[in-house]
Amino acid sequence: MVEHIGSSPAVLVKHHGVFTIGPDPWAALKAAVMVEDAAMTVHLAMLRGKPQPLPPEAVARPCGVPAKVRAVKGATWSAA
């Protein structure tokens, strides 16, 4: 499992579920909660039909914030 997790804090294993790691138990728990939240979002989207992927320009924006909003003087943004 360590071989496959790489630099990610979580790995999803077929028929078992999510396994998470972190520098401490709280970080591992946070990763698990984030994976579960993402899974719930995908599940709910799929109940409404086939989810539509975001266009590349929307994915490239930090937090989906438009460039003109990010350009506010003094604001700092990170795409990470």
Side-chain angles (χ1 to χ4, degrees):
M1 190 166 324
V2 173
E3 184 178 305
H4 296 285
I5 201 164
S7 62
S8 175
V11 64
L12 196 55
V13 180
K14 187 176 183 177
H15 302 298
H16 292 281
V18 66
F19 289 85
T20 60
I21 60 172
D24 58 58
W26 296 113
L29 176 61
K30 180 180 178 182
V33 170
M34 291 175 71
V35 169
E36 292 294 332
D37 285 348
M40 178 61 77
T41 300
V42 170
H43 174 71
L44 293 173
M46 291 178 79
L47 288 176
R48 295 187 54 100
K50 183 178 178 185
Q52 299 297 311
L54 292 171
E57 61 273 9
V59 174
R61 289 193 312 242
C63 303
V65 178
K68 65 182 180 180
V69 175
R70 291 195 313 269
V72 173
K73 185 177 180 177
T76 57
W77 300 85
S78 170

